[in-house]
Amino acid sequence: VTACNLAISISRLPERQVLLVDLDLRKPMVANYLRLGNSTGIMDVLEGRQSLSSTVLRCHIGSSALMVLPGTRTVSGSAEWMASQTMGTLLQTIKREFRSCLVIFDLPPMLLGDDVISILPRMDASLLIAGMGSTSLADIKECQKHLQRTPVVRVVANKVTEKAGSYYGYY
């Protein structure tokens, strides 16, 4: 959800183009969140059944538009796909063909498998998202170990609940 919201927000800025790539191969949800009805996605490109250009969708949200490379199905061996030469080639193609775009990769939770750790060295930067009430300090410290060689742009505290009237500290 955060990757989708970030992509939509940036696409609203003048002269900004965004490509959102669903790299959560175990549980692809970007197409669902954006209500895209498609039958092809990133795995079709990785498996050589579709070209990148034919799989990227243009999504209009209000007056904004962004491009999306969706995931469409759950994949076994996702960490192996992330570390594969085929993925490396795809990332280089994205970098070359979408060089005028800001590319946002939606990745699975870092500590649930080796997927993120496998692809992290290929990322220019990362945004760490911590769920309030579900991400422990130990989890964040473990993530920091894996993120030592990748610039962390920001940390997002997600799922924060605020009691009515507590914003100004009185009531």
Side-chain angles (χ1 to χ4, degrees), residues 124-169:
D124 292 335
S126 64
L127 178 68
L128 180 62
I129 301 169
M132 299 304 291
S134 59
T135 304
S136 68
L137 184 56
D139 291 339
I140 293 171
K141 287 181 179 182
E142 184 65 24
C143 289
Q144 283 179 315
K145 290 178 189 176
H146 298 293
L147 291 167
Q148 286 180 352
R149 292 191 175 102
T150 305
V152 178
V153 177
R154 294 282 187 268
V155 177
V156 174
N158 204 2
K159 302 177 186 175
V160 176
T161 59
E162 184 176 319
K163 295 177 185 172
S166 67
Y167 179 78
Y168 291 106

Side-chain angles (χ1 to χ4, degrees), residues 8-157:
I8 291 166
S9 295
I10 292 172
S11 72
R12 290 181 177 150
L13 298 172
E15 300 179 21
R16 286 291 188 160
Q17 292 184 341
V18 178
L19 171 63
L20 175 58
V21 180
D22 193 344
L23 276 183
D24 189 343
L25 302 180
R26 292 181 191 207
K27 190 176 178 183
M29 294 297 292
V30 168
N32 188 37
Y33 293 145
L34 298 176
R35 296 186 178 136
L36 302 174
N38 60 314
S39 59
T40 60
I42 190 165
M43 285 309 300
D44 297 294
V45 177
L46 289 170
E47 292 170 344
R49 289 183 283 157
Q50 294 288 329
S51 69
L52 177 61
S53 61
S54 69
T55 308
V56 170
L57 304 173
R58 190 151 187 88
C59 178
H60 295 275
I61 300 171
S63 61
S64 302
L66 64 139
M67 293 170 282
V68 179
L69 178 55
T72 54
R73 57 187 158 90
T74 302
V75 176
S76 61
S78 55
E80 290 79 9
W81 275 110
M82 293 288 210
S84 71
Q85 181 59 42
T86 306
M87 180 65 78
T89 301
L90 175 60
L91 295 176
Q92 287 299 319
T93 303
I94 288 171
K95 192 173 197 171
R96 184 179 63 251
E97 292 184 16
F98 295 91
R99 65 180 165 269
S100 64
C101 294
L102 176 68
V103 181
I104 298 172
F105 295 99
D106 181 40
L107 296 166
M110 181 179 280
L111 301 179
L112 290 184
D114 293 336
D115 297 27
V116 175
I117 295 165
S118 297
I119 202 162
L120 203 54
R122 297 175 173 173
M123 297 289 117
D124 292 335
S126 64
L127 178 68
L128 180 62
I129 301 169
M132 299 304 291
S134 59
T135 304
S136 68
L137 184 56
D139 291 339
I140 293 171
K141 287 181 179 182
E142 184 65 24
C143 289
Q144 283 179 315
K145 290 178 189 176
H146 298 293
L147 291 167
Q148 286 180 352
R149 292 191 175 102
T150 305
V152 178
V153 177
R154 294 282 187 268
V155 177
V156 174

